[in-house]
Amino acid sequence: ERVEDMAALAEHYLRQFAGAEGRLVPELSAQSLAWLQSRRWAGNLPEFSQALHRALWTTEESRLEPRHFEAKWPGPMARSMPENRTHSW
């Protein structure tokens, strides 16, 4: 619920997930941050972190945009998830 903390928290999760994938940490666009801030997370960190992880999976781009958060996962836009992958969510 603390909107002012969302950017730092999002960066933390993106660093964690990108690092685990051996990827560069994508930038979170201002529009994406506004999209995240417009949602009601109400202390639901697992759902918040899953939204970030899902967005990371939908693209290889260096910047996350709202369209990456709105993509369904798994789905036609998402990459296949390797069977040996583990997750912290």
Side-chain angles (χ1 to χ4, degrees):
E1 290 185 23
R2 293 177 45 141
V3 177
E4 64 274 9
D5 295 337
M6 292 184 91
L9 190 57
E11 184 176 336
H12 164 77
Y13 282 120
L14 289 173
R15 285 185 186 280
Q16 178 182 342
F17 296 139
E21 303 295 329
R23 294 179 52 183
L24 295 176
V25 179
E27 176 186 351
L28 188 64
S29 73
Q31 295 85 357
S32 291
L33 181 58
W35 185 91
L36 289 168
Q37 291 172 334
S38 72
R39 301 301 183 263
R40 290 201 34 94
W41 303 102
N44 192 341
L45 288 179
E47 187 177 332
F48 180 76
S49 68
Q50 187 177 40
L52 290 161
H53 200 183
R54 195 169 38 241
L56 184 67
W57 266 95
T58 64
T59 186
E60 294 287 334
E61 295 177 30
S62 62
R63 178 185 296 193
L64 294 179
E65 299 291 347
R67 70 179 180 276
H68 299 123
F69 291 92
E70 296 164 353
K72 301 290 185 217
W73 180 50
M77 289 178 45
R79 293 177 288 161
S80 296
M81 196 177 225
E83 293 178 5
N84 63 350
R85 192 154 303 198
T86 59
H87 298 283
S88 60
W89 65 53

